[in-house]
Amino acid sequence: MTIRDILTYPDERLRQVSGPVVQFDAALQANIDDLEETRLAGPAAVGIAAPQIGWFQRVVIVDVSGRKKTRSHGHLVLINPEITEWEGFVLGREGCLSVPDYTGNVVRAERIQLHALDREGKEQSFEMEGFEARAVQHEMDHLDGLLFLDRLVSRRQDLFQRKVYKE
Ligand code: NI
């Protein structure tokens, strides 16, 4: 396993739209392991998306189980994820390994129904809410070349500088 470099804003490669995974081979497994090791190597982010390490396929990892009072499905590797239902809207604070100097307030769906494949290519589906649903929506945005910066209602009011990366 290898810790990979994380692309950071304003790197244009973060704008690229990623393609679906079609082969569940050894190369995929190795990339997933690198993605996870890279997620854990820094400030242990609750999520990471493949394009953040320059791998432009539709793969994200989310694990919010370390957060107190947060419902979660544990550690998830989500391949070719699709949100099939949305419900409610909620404003919340987000950070991103690719935007290390800022956090921002972003509106997301409160509850989602999610379909994805696991790392073996098996179908899985989840009902998610709250912070876990937010994390998945944030990571899935990366697959379409979007950052939380693109979803701020107001840059002046909803963007915050931080000195130390915490989440
Ligand atoms: Ni991010």
Side-chain angles (χ1 to χ4, degrees), residues 52 96 138-139 142:
Q52 292 182 274
C96 180
H138 173 112
E139 299 310 334
H142 283 294

Side-chain angles (χ1 to χ4, degrees), residues 9 18 48 85 87 116:
Y9 178 83
S18 292
I48 192 168
E85 283 178 51
E87 199 189 314

Side-chain angles (χ1 to χ4, degrees), residues 6-9 14 43 45-49 52 93-104 108 138-139 142 146-149 162 165-167:
I6 292 175
L7 305 183
T8 53
Y9 178 83
L14 289 167
V46 295
I48 192 168
Q52 292 182 274
R93 190 72 71 93
E94 297 185 9
C96 180
L97 293 170
S98 294
V99 190
D101 297 335
Y102 293 91
T103 61
R108 300 283 186 188
H138 173 112
E139 299 310 334
H142 283 294
L146 292 170
L147 299 171
F148 78 81
L149 298 173
R162 62 170 155 196
Y165 194 104
K166 275 203 294 250
E167 278 187 333

Side-chain angles (χ1 to χ4, degrees), residues 8-9 32 41 54 65 67 69 71 73 82 92 97 104 121-122 139 152 159-160 165-167:
T8 53
Y9 178 83
I32 290 170
S65 62
R67 276 180 66 113
K69 298 180 191 164
R71 277 206 206 175
H73 294 84
E82 301 279 352
L97 293 170
K122 212 172 72 190
E139 299 310 334
L152 300 172
L159 190 61
F160 308 92
Y165 194 104
K166 275 203 294 250
E167 278 187 333

